[in-house]
Amino acid sequence: MSAACSDIYASAPLRQLLADEARDLLPELQRCTGDHGLLVSAAMQDRPPALPLLSCWTHLKLAGDRYVGDLHARVDEPLPFVDDAFELVILRHALEASALPQSLLEEGARVLSPGGLLVLSGVHPLSLWTPWMVWHGWGQSLRLRMPLQVGEWLRRHAMQVECVRRVGHAVPGGGGTPWLTEAIGGGYVLLARKRRQAVTPIRLVPRALRAPADAGLAPGARRNTACAAAMNEDRR
């Protein structure tokens, strides 16, 4: 990401939008448990949320064609993590700043553990923020994504979209009532959960086995009382 692109996320309106998103998501995130969380953000000064039930964070920032932060990698390569590595993955405005948004989304789903939560946020294309983003991001490759399109991408990768809602002020730097924010807020948040693989139980079918009539007992074995009585009767 260029310095100019970094500046747009450091601007007062976008810093306020990031704060609104964090406040809106806090109740859901505080219920997340596990050992590892991943934050990929377009904002250079962004920080992982403080969650008491999640112990360890990895933080990556988009910087042009590279990830920087806790580790360095190229955006056109797979994320350097094993499958199912994180219980929580947060992509904060990362899709709109990434040159390969669909690939980033696929990687986010890959490194998420089954049952884990994927959280996305961004500027809604159908909002009054779009002209502001175009004007202040002149010459930058920002790509605003519709939540509906993002949801379709996720469903192709075993993800179940749980919630999509608008957040933030209707105009950059402006105010607004709660009902107006929910209707035409400048940003959106999307929550999706990775489906657990269905396990087919193995059912054991009992089958009766008939022993030969002249079958003897192993050395040291004893017959039960009913069986012994029946055999004695046959001998008579």
Side-chain angles (χ1 to χ4, degrees), residues 198-223:
V199 178
T200 303
I202 300 176
R203 298 185 61 185
L204 300 178
V205 179
R207 190 173 69 176
L209 297 177
R210 179 176 296 178
D214 58 347
L217 293 176
R222 298 177 60 186
R223 296 185 186 276

Side-chain angles (χ1 to χ4, degrees), residues 105-174:
L105 201 62
E106 293 172 359
E107 283 297 290
R110 178 184 68 81
V111 302
L112 184 67
S113 63
L117 186 66
L118 177 69
V119 178
L120 299 102
S121 66
V123 174
H124 201 290
L126 301 181
S127 71
L128 298 177
W129 284 68
T130 301
W132 184 89
M133 293 285 288
V134 172
W135 177 260
H136 289 269
W138 181 258
Q140 302 166 21
S141 56
L142 295 176
R143 303 167 179 85
L144 304 185
R145 303 288 169 180
M146 288 289 292
L148 182 63
Q149 180 187 28
V150 175
E152 288 300 319
W153 287 353
L154 288 171
R155 291 184 184 93
R156 298 172 192 167
H157 298 280
M159 300 292 296
Q160 177 67 46
V161 177
E162 294 187 345
C163 177
V164 181
R165 57 180 178 263
R166 302 283 284 266
V167 296
H169 299 311
V171 296

Side-chain angles (χ1 to χ4, degrees), residues 55 61 77 80-81 93 99 121 129 164 176 190-191 204 208 213-214:
S55 57
K61 305 167 188 177
E77 297 176 347
F81 308 113
H93 294 257
S121 66
W129 284 68
V164 181
L190 182 151
L191 288 79
L204 300 178
D214 58 347

Side-chain angles (χ1 to χ4, degrees), residues 175-191:
T177 57
W179 68 266
L180 192 59
T181 293
E182 294 174 2
I184 57 172
Y188 73 90
V189 295
L190 182 151
L191 288 79

